[in-house]
Amino acid sequence: MVLVGFMGCGKTTVAPLVAGALGWSSIDFDEVIVDRTGKSIADLFEEYGEARFREIEAEVGSELLARDGVVLAPGGGWAVHAGRLEALPTGTASVWLRVAVDEAIRRVTSSGRLRPLLKTESPAETARALLAEREPHYARAQHEVDTTGLSPEDVTRRIVAILRPTHDLNPDS
Ligand code: S3P
């Protein structure tokens, strides 16, 4: 399954929790990209530009999507591609982790993880414009969970309930 949504929606935090609940593993696209290139995401943007980062991200994405039993956490820009969510392998669920822009900004700021796209004069304005542009793409995911005000554990429970509707009803099954 794949979690999509804006920076700060909780993909990276929630993916391992969902994976733990399902007995799967989780993979964060950005972590794979950093491992493979030996560069931070910020350095990749700076040295090679966003277009090259998107190519690497797309390659990593096609490779990881071929795996079974994984919860995938792509970066927030990966799903923003015409047809990308429609082209998921059969049986791969997609969930949009929705977040209000103010909360996304708060979470991004407190994470300490630098987001090159928000290195502007007004990160809040940039985030607002970018989120408005991207929402129609994220909305193409099969499912949606609004994470605003929810803890990562609550978000996890909602995702598991979507994927395994009988999970909580039959804890022994
Ligand atoms: C990006 C989101 C980031 C990272 C890169 C670009 C985006 O990942 O891939 O900075 O375009 O939204 P997160 O969504 O994990 O912050």
Side-chain angles (χ1 to χ4, degrees):
M1 69 152 310
V2 58
L3 300 174
V4 301
F6 199 62
M7 296 171 260
C9 74
K11 302 178 295 288
T12 302
T13 306
V14 162
L17 300 179
V18 175
L22 297 174
W24 293 3
S25 46
S26 68
I27 309 179
D28 186 272
F29 283 27
D30 281 357
E31 278 175 20
V32 173
I33 294 170
V34 169
D35 277 354
R36 288 207 185 157
T37 61
K39 291 185 182 293
S40 70
I41 301 297
D43 285 349
L44 283 172
F45 268 73
E46 178 116 6
E47 290 174 31
Y48 300 141
E50 181 176 352
R52 179 66 193 129
F53 170 78
R54 295 299 172 201
E55 285 173 8
I56 300 171
E57 184 180 49
E59 282 164 26
V60 165
S62 344
E63 187 188 315
L64 296 178
L65 276 164
R67 300 198 191 176
D68 288 326
V70 285
V71 179
L72 298 176
W78 177 83
V80 185
H81 241 270
R84 189 154 271 166
L85 287 177
E86 289 81 357
L88 291 179
T90 315
T92 300
S94 52
V95 179
W96 173 22
L97 300 186
R98 200 175 188 144
V99 65
V101 73
D102 292 333
E103 184 151 337
I105 293 163
R106 262 199 305 279
R107 292 182 193 167
V108 165
T109 311
S110 68
S111 79
R113 191 153 57 87
L114 227 124
R115 302 325 201 268
L117 292 179
L118 300 181
K119 255 177 79 186
T120 63
E121 262 179 38
S122 171
E125 259 173 51
T126 306
R128 240 173 269 284
L130 204 53
L131 181 57
E133 195 182 302
R134 288 178 168 189
E135 273 192 333
H137 295 278
Y138 297 144
R140 294 198 173 94
Q142 291 163 343
H143 309 281
E144 178 184 325
V145 171
D146 191 345
T147 71
T148 310
L150 294 186
S151 69
E153 291 73 22
D154 286 336
V155 174
T156 300
R157 272 189 281 278
R158 289 189 192 196
I159 296 171
V160 171
I162 288 170
L163 298 177
R164 297 261 165 95
T166 53
H167 192 78
D168 287 334
L169 300 175
N170 303 301
D172 299 326
S173 64

